Amino acid sequence: VIHELMQTEQDYLRDLEVLLELYVKPIQGETAKGTTKKLFNKKQSRVLFSNIEVLFNLNCNKLLFILKTNHSSVYELYFL
C-alpha cells in the first residue's frame, strides 16, 4: 500500500510539474529562455491556476518525504 501511495504521489507531482512548466510559467511570462509578455494579469492567472504551485511545493517537500521516510505516519496522514 505504501509503495502504491508513493508511486501515485510521484506521478501526480510529475503531472503538476509538466503543467507548471508548459502552461503556468509561460502564461505568467516565464520561460526557460527568460521572460516574455504575460498572457494574463496576476489576478487572472490566480483564478485559472489557483494554488497549483503551493500544492506542488507542499507535496514535493512534505508529503513525498513523509511517505518515503516515515511509514508509521502515513496512516495518520490519510486516516486521522
Side-chain angles (χ1 to χ4, degrees):
V1 174
I2 300 297
H3 184 275
E4 186 175 332
L5 281 171
M6 285 175 42
Q7 188 61 50
T8 301
E9 189 63 25
Q10 288 171 336
D11 292 344
Y12 174 67
L13 287 172
R14 187 189 65 244
D15 293 344
L16 282 179
E17 186 174 28
V18 167
L19 181 63
L20 283 167
E21 294 300 320
L22 295 180
Y23 297 98
V24 176
K25 288 182 179 180
I27 284 173
Q28 294 174 342
E30 302 172 28
T31 65
K33 296 178 181 178
T35 58
T36 61
K37 184 180 180 211
K38 293 180 181 182
L39 298 175
F40 298 107
N41 65 36
K42 205 170 204 165
K43 185 178 180 181
Q44 292 167 325
S45 289
R46 200 171 29 248
V47 168
L48 282 173
F49 299 110
S50 189
N51 59 350
I52 194 167
E53 290 182 56
V54 172
L55 286 173
F56 178 77
N57 290 326
L58 176 69
N59 286 355
C60 196
N61 295 326
K62 302 285 184 195
L63 186 57
L64 197 55
F65 175 77
I66 290 169
L67 288 172
K68 286 181 178 179
T69 60
N70 193 356
H71 297 151
S72 64
S73 67
V74 170
Y75 177 82
E76 295 171 15
L77 257 175
Y78 286 97
F79 301 107
L80 293 181

